[in-house]
Amino acid sequence: MNTEKKHILVTGGAGYIGSHTVVALIEKGYTPIIIDDFRNSNKDVILRLEKITNSEIIYFNVACQDTFRLKGVFSQFPIEGIIHFAADKAVGESMEKPLMYFDNNFGSLISMLELAKEFEVKSFVFSSSCTVYGDPKQIPVNEQSPVSYNSPYGFTKKVSEEMIEQFVKSCPIVKATLLRYFNPVGAHESGTIGEEPDGKPNNLLPFITQTAAGVRDELTVFGKDYDTPDGTCIRDYIHVVDLAEAHVAALEMSDSNEVNPKVFNVGTGKGTSVLEMIKAFEKITGKELPYKFGPRRDGDIKEIFANTDKVNKELKWTSRKTIEEAISSSWTFEQYIRELRKEA
Ligand code: UD1
């Protein structure tokens, strides 16, 4: 695919995975166009992206459901692909506000598919999640493993995948790829973009780095009596820079996508326990992490990691970065954010 000046719309492009994907796109010669309403992201990210990439970032502060304004963007730029990240993603919050999740996650997707159809966009890459495997009976999970959900958030991912499957039947010009992410971690090597949760983090690594930075008193390990070697849950932690590259690979493959949509697991294929994460963090940073054991968290599953055969073979993508690199870059990013907030 000749990437010369190809315009790719990135919804949620100022967010955690979106911002790293914007960097990956620019490195490959694409022109990303960010659509973000900044409700869960920071406008500063645009400036930081400009520094990292040494280029001007085109962005629009607009919600995905505002099709009127978005039609203007599509008329202004010849958009050849859409990477659709924008969505709410906190499991706990989705249990409290399911309708907000349905409205935002389905509404945004429907708008984007409408625009893809009207403007004949060739590639559509959708952010899905390993949450669609629910509590799997067999691991590693492959793309044929049974899908289910155990939260309104998980429901939106599963149903969104199905909506895309139905949509492309009526509009086969749009080649879709569904990427099922495992647990994204890490930050860009510059240490200036990364996971920046608003308030108390839900996810493990941001909680660890905030605890080490003194923002939180201690980490609670949710459960120590799981049927795993050390009693704590096991996840497949994938470096966000690797994950970002999978989106570019998906975009390039969609040109010759005879099965539509294609679905891929995007993980490392390796499982790491919560205690292993803590030990690795302590080893890499030389800091002792205060933690205690607490009860299991509702909805947590014992263990999941990916079978990556399909993504390795068909997308020609494989994870390259180690968990140590992810932890070390997250720690650098946490320190950067602390300095920034001190100055503000
Ligand atoms: C969660 C979501 C998943 C979503 C993903 C997005 C659930 C059940 N799943 O994955 O659907 O796609 O985030 O990033 O919420 N842990 C602690 N203490 C903490 C935080 C986490 O022990 O303070 C443990 C958890 O029990 C889990 C592991 O760390 O075993 C990873 O947790 P987390 O980072 O929240 O990711 P998931 O729960 O796997």
Side-chain angles (χ1 to χ4, degrees):
M1 189 181 193
N2 174 16
T3 58
E4 191 63 30
K5 290 200 179 86
K6 283 203 179 206
H7 293 81
I8 308 297
L9 195 86
V10 185
T11 74
Y16 176 41
I17 308 170
S19 58
H20 290 82
T21 302
V22 165
V23 175
L25 285 168
I26 293 173
E27 280 171 357
K28 284 282 182 92
Y30 291 92
T31 302
I33 313 242
I34 295 180
I35 297 299
D36 208 301
D37 61 4
F38 299 100
R39 64 197 223 161
N40 272 327
S41 57
N42 189 336
K43 257 202 173 154
D44 280 2
V45 168
I46 302 291
L47 297 174
R48 298 187 217 149
L49 283 172
E50 291 190 330
K51 266 202 189 141
I52 292 173
T53 61
N54 199 20
S55 55
E56 195 191 331
I57 300 289
I58 307 169
Y59 78 97
F60 293 88
N61 183 347
V62 56
C64 291
Q65 298 200 51
D66 188 347
T67 36
F68 179 77
R69 281 192 59 204
L70 286 172
K71 279 184 186 182
V73 177
F74 277 80
S75 306
Q76 198 179 338
F77 300 98
I79 306 286
E80 304 223 357
I82 297 175
I83 307 183
H84 181 46
F85 290 106
D88 287 317
K89 62 156 195 168
V91 175
E93 185 185 52
S94 80
M95 309 237 196
E96 285 158 31
K97 301 176 186 167
L99 297 179
M100 182 180 102
Y101 273 66
F102 301 158
D103 180 44
N104 187 34
N105 293 6
F106 295 140
S108 298
L109 175 63
I110 292 167
S111 297
M112 284 304 136
L113 293 177
E114 269 172 7
L115 290 160
K117 182 173 183 179
E118 182 172 341
F119 292 90
E120 300 187 345
V121 176
K122 291 193 206 87
S123 314
F124 190 91
V125 182
F126 177 69
S127 285
S128 191
S129 164
C130 69
T131 195
V132 299
Y133 296 118
D135 191 352
K137 292 207 167 48
Q138 269 197 327
I139 44 164
V141 285
N142 65 34
E143 291 79 356
Q144 269 76 53
S145 297
V147 293
S148 66
Y149 54 87
N150 49 13
S151 71
Y153 160 74
F155 175 77
T156 66
K157 289 298 175 193
K158 177 178 177 283
V159 173
S160 293
E161 286 194 355
E162 290 166 1
M163 281 165 62
I164 295 168
E165 272 168 36
Q166 296 304 315
F167 165 77
V168 293
K169 283 185 194 161
S170 73
C171 189
I173 187 179
V174 179
K175 306 292 183 198
T177 311
L178 316 176
L179 298 182
R180 292 177 177 163
Y181 314 150
F182 283 67
N183 287 55
V185 284
H188 184 259
E189 59 183 6
S190 65
T192 61
I193 54 169
E195 191 169 8
E196 221 177 313
D198 200 13
K200 196 171 163 189
N202 294 310
N203 295 117
L204 178 63
L205 193 51
F207 207 107
I208 290 180
T209 58
Q210 287 197 6
T211 305
V215 183
R216 311 276 154 209
D217 292 338
E218 63 183 352
L219 167 79
T220 303
V221 176
F222 298 139
K224 62 171 180 180
D225 57 354
Y226 284 97
D227 180 19
T228 60
D230 66 19
T232 65
C233 295
I234 292 174
R235 297 286 182 273
D236 184 338
Y237 295 95
I238 169 82
H239 199 300
V240 67
V241 170
D242 283 341
L243 180 54
E245 284 168 8
H247 293 79
V248 182
L251 215 53
E252 295 182 346
M253 180 217 54
S254 319
D255 270 355
S256 57
N257 197 356
E258 67 297 334
V259 177
N260 195 16
K262 280 202 173 186
V263 52
F264 296 105
N265 281 345
V266 190
T268 66
K270 285 185 225 76
T272 305
S273 76
V274 178
L275 282 182
E276 284 170 340
M277 283 293 272
I278 295 172
K279 298 285 167 252
F281 180 85
E282 292 184 323
K283 191 167 169 216
I284 291 158
T285 61
K287 288 177 88 75
E288 202 178 314
L289 193 81
Y291 71 89
K292 63 168 190 217
F293 288 102
R296 293 180 176 197
R297 180 171 68 179
D298 265 359
D300 270 351
I301 55 167
K302 175 185 78 161
E303 182 174 20
I304 189 164
F305 54 91
N307 174 316
T308 59
D309 292 349
K310 189 177 175 203
V311 71
N312 297 156
K313 190 166 161 254
E314 293 183 31
L315 215 53
K316 299 182 179 51
W317 171 93
T318 180
S319 65
R320 293 178 295 118
K321 293 189 176 282
T322 61
I323 201 130
E324 286 76 20
E325 288 174 279
I327 291 173
S328 157
S329 57
S330 288
W331 177 231
T332 308
F333 177 68
E334 183 68 53
Q335 290 164 292
Y336 168 78
I337 287 295
R338 291 302 128 213
E339 278 306 309
L340 216 61
R341 299 215 171 142
K342 241 191 257 165
E343 285 163 21

